């Protein structure tokens, strides 16, 4: 998908603002002799920006707006190394809320809804993003933050929450708790807005069935405002994104070249009007594709497919490259398997071989032996290698309030 004339002019304005600043990218662009962007070709010659750059610019090196206009910072959850700090102007905060309110509307949420917010507050963009969008829309916000499942369920029942917002792992934990306690009929839940991690069809189905609600995938990342830059509608699982605020291109993660619409690759995002920390051609490492054609819902906003994984989630065993999404595709076809699994990889020194151990929760309807055999068979035929498989009862693997860690690789530690 090419930049429209309006988007090209917006990018050009961003480049000129960056050049006029004393920021990290201002220096970099001046050194590279960049003066502006008039065409798609010139745009595609702009360097990518990356999380690495943002770490190099720590703490406020990417700030382009004057200090007196900056009203807030957020920081990405960076589990390793230097965190990333993103400054926001008042307009950035407002633009983000407008986009987020549009997400709620696309999910059919209205002013009459009561939205319970379980993602975390603080430095990260999660909780406050869900809240600002809710208030912009005019719905009632129940700002719980994460954890304390007991209290979550009490508020959900007493306040007649209609919309739950959560990570997929926490939504699953709540769904299982609600089922265990037989609470479903005392609740008023209609919809769930689920953000911040990739999840398989199986997990979606379980949450949907246990709670009897519609689920929506919201997309976003701290570097680009936060969650709220796109969401799916009731007609499709692909996500509309707000192309008056961001431009998305899909590139081949290895060569960096743009791919055709419809082809899979890495999402690269350009902010069109962001003031505090404009980012051009930011590599997200999220894998997806542009979904060509119009959505049956009639909305004109372009769409990307459900996030398939992250280019850095790939793991390699016995020379075979694998993504968690491939593991999920296999488990989807295994009768009796729950959505929950972990992959552990280690090197067995005694035989000088890598070992992959797949632990899967079994629901108990099908014998664990039969499930294990079927999983091994499917791996062999579809991926070309056979892992060791252990089946454990449902509930054995950890449920997390944040992102679920699926793959642990002991070879790199
Ligand atoms: Zn649609």
């Amino acid at each position: 998908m090419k930049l429209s004339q309006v988007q090209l002019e917006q990018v050009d304005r961003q480049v000129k603002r960056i050049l006029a600043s004393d920021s990290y990218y201002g220096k970099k662009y001046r050194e590279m002799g960049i003066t502006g962007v008039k065409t798609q070709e010139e745009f595609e010659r702009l360097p990518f920006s990356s999380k690495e750059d943002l770490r190099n610019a720590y703490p406020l090196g990417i700030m382009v707006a004057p200090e007196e206009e900056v009203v807030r910072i957020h920081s990405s959850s960076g589990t390793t190394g230097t965190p990333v700090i993103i400054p926001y102007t008042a307009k950035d905060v407002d633009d983000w809320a407008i986009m987020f309110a549009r997400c709620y509307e696309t999910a059919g949420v209205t002013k009459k809804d009561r939205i319970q917010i379980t993602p975390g507050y603080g430095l990260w963009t999660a909780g406050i993003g869900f809240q600002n969008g809710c208030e912009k829309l005019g719905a009632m916000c129940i700002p719980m933050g994460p954890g304390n499942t007991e209290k979550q369920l009490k508020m959900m029942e007493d306040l007649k929450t209609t919309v739950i917002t959560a990570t997929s792992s926490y939504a699953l934990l709540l769904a299982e708790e609600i089922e265990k306690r037989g609470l479903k009929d005392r609740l008023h839940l209609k919809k769930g807005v689920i953000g911040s991690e990739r999840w398989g069809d199986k997990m979606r189905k379980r949450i949907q069935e246990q709670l009897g609600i519609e689920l929506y995938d919201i997309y976003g990342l701290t570097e680009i405002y936060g969650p709220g830059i796109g969401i799916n509608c009731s007609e499709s699982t692909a996500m509309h994104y707000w192309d008056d605020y961001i431009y998305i291109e899909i590139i081949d993660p290895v060569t960096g070249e743009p791919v055709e619409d419809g082809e899979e690759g890495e999402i690269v995002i350009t902010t069109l009007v962001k003031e505090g920390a404009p980012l051009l051609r930011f590599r997200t490492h999220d894998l997806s594709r542009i979904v060509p054609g119009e959505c049956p819902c009639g909305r004109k906003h372009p769409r990307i497919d459900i996030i398939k994984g992250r280019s850095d989630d790939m793991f390699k065993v016995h020379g075979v490259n694998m993504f968690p999404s491939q593991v999920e595709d296999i488990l989807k076809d295994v009768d009796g398997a729950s959505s929950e699994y972990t992959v552990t990889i280690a090197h067995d020194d005694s035989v000088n071989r890598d070992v992959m151990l797949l632990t899967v929760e079994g629901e108990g309807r099908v014998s664990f032996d039969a499930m294990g055999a079927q999983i091994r068979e499917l791996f062999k035929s579809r991926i070309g290698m056979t892992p060791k498989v252990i089946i454990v009862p449902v509930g054995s693997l950890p449920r997390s309030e944040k992102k679920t860690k699926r793959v642990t690789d002991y070879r790199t530690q």
Side-chain angles (χ1 to χ4, degrees):
M1 189 161 292
K2 305 272 184 229
L3 288 152
S4 69
Q5 193 52 40
V6 174
Q7 288 175 325
L8 265 175
E9 283 160 21
Q10 287 171 321
V11 171
D12 190 54
R13 268 200 294 281
Q14 291 284 41
V15 170
K16 284 175 177 143
R17 285 187 59 243
I18 292 170
L19 281 170
S21 75
D22 192 30
S23 69
Y24 178 88
Y25 285 113
K27 263 183 226 118
K28 183 165 178 175
Y29 286 9
R30 282 193 297 272
E31 276 166 19
M32 292 181 74
I34 293 165
T35 52
V37 168
K38 293 276 175 273
T39 62
Q40 184 77 28
E41 292 66 42
E42 277 178 356
F43 172 76
E44 285 171 11
R45 281 202 295 271
L46 288 176
F48 290 116
S49 48
S50 66
K51 204 154 187 151
E52 179 86 287
D53 286 345
L54 304 189
R55 291 206 177 99
N56 291 337
Y58 179 86
L60 281 170
I62 59 159
M63 190 161 81
V64 161
E67 170 96 42
E68 60 269 29
E69 287 176 20
V70 170
V71 298
R72 187 200 285 176
I73 62 113
H74 281 292
S75 174
S76 78
S77 47
T79 43
T80 50
T82 313
V84 159
I85 308 278
I86 308 290
Y88 295 65
T89 65
K91 180 174 181 293
D92 291 338
V93 169
D94 199 46
D95 284 350
W96 180 22
I98 292 169
M99 282 189 277
F100 212 125
R102 210 187 269 173
C103 286
Y104 281 131
E105 277 168 350
T106 305
V109 178
T110 73
K111 284 179 185 207
K112 288 186 175 163
D113 278 299
R114 297 178 177 185
I115 306 179
Q116 188 156 334
I117 293 163
T118 74
Y121 285 78
L123 276 174
W124 46 314
T125 47
I128 198 163
F130 280 95
Q131 172 158 352
N132 287 346
C134 168
E135 290 174 358
K136 182 64 92 181
L137 176 71
M140 186 199 289
C141 179
I142 307 167
M144 298 296 295
N148 203 341
T149 302
E150 216 50 59
K151 197 166 183 185
Q152 298 277 6
L153 295 176
K154 181 173 166 52
M155 296 296 258
M156 207 180 284
E157 184 177 349
D158 295 350
L159 282 165
K160 302 186 168 62
T161 300
T162 56
V163 178
I164 181 81
T165 66
T167 60
S168 55
S169 352
Y170 196 53
L172 177 64
L173 184 149
L174 286 171
E176 287 176 339
E177 228 21 73
I178 287 165
E179 182 170 82
K180 213 185 292 171
R181 297 171 191 213
L183 272 180
K184 189 171 148 189
D185 294 337
R186 305 209 317 253
L187 301 178
H188 294 75
L189 286 181
K190 291 187 305 195
K191 292 171 198 286
V193 177
I194 308 299
S196 85
E197 64 182 333
R198 189 186 46 75
W199 47 323
D201 280 349
K202 206 148 192 164
M203 190 163 182
R204 171 190 293 272
K205 271 209 196 80
R206 286 187 67 209
I207 299 171
Q208 215 151 15
E209 278 162 17
Q210 282 179 338
L211 293 179
I213 61 175
E214 284 167 29
L215 294 177
Y216 293 86
D217 264 309
I218 195 158
Y219 183 58
L221 50 158
T222 302
E223 294 82 359
I224 313 289
Y225 297 99
I229 59 177
I231 194 167
N232 69 298
C233 62
S234 58
E235 297 295 318
S236 132
T237 53
M239 298 180 285
H240 290 281
Y241 61 89
W242 315 131
D243 58 345
D244 41 351
Y245 293 91
I246 57 164
Y247 170 71
I248 287 187
E249 52 186 324
I250 306 289
I251 62 159
D252 179 322
V254 179
T255 65
E257 291 299 319
V259 302
E260 294 294 318
D261 286 356
E263 266 178 52
E264 222 161 69
E266 179 180 336
I267 298 176
V268 171
I269 305 182
T270 292
T271 62
L272 297 172
V273 292
K274 206 157 183 263
E275 297 181 336
L279 284 175
L280 306 183
R281 308 197 80 202
F282 183 75
R283 291 191 64 158
T284 65
H285 295 286
D286 288 332
L287 301 172
S288 182
R289 62 186 191 105
I290 298 275
V291 177
E294 287 215 350
C295 183
C297 79
R299 283 181 186 84
K300 298 291 176 231
H301 294 286
R303 291 176 297 160
I304 48 170
D305 217 338
I306 265 184
I307 306 302
K308 194 184 167 202
R310 289 184 52 78
S311 54
D312 39 15
D313 271 351
M314 195 177 75
F315 54 97
K316 194 170 180 176
V317 184
H318 299 172
V320 182
N321 291 328
M322 271 177 275
F323 284 104
S325 56
Q326 286 172 292
V327 178
E328 282 151 28
D329 281 345
I330 286 179
L331 295 183
K332 199 165 65 185
D333 295 338
V334 176
D335 190 26
S338 101
S339 57
E340 298 309 289
Y341 69 91
T342 59
V343 170
T344 313
I345 308 160
H347 189 74
D348 185 346
D349 286 329
S350 64
V351 288
N352 195 27
R353 256 177 92 80
D354 288 339
V355 184
M356 169 177 163
L357 173 68
L358 174 69
T359 310
V360 180
E361 288 187 354
E363 290 165 351
R365 289 180 289 110
V366 178
S367 94
F368 286 7
D369 280 350
M371 267 182 65
Q374 194 193 352
I375 292 169
R376 279 191 295 273
E377 200 48 49
L378 285 171
F379 263 85
K380 197 174 170 196
S381 62
R382 290 193 198 170
I383 297 183
M385 61 84 64
T386 313
K388 290 189 187 305
V389 180
I390 295 181
I391 314 291
V392 297
V394 167
S396 305
L397 294 173
R399 305 301 193 249
S400 149
E401 282 155 15
K402 291 191 178 176
K403 300 182 186 190
T404 301
K405 188 168 168 49
R406 302 280 187 195
V407 180
T408 310
D409 191 343
Y410 288 106
R411 295 172 303 183
T412 52
Q413 289 173 5

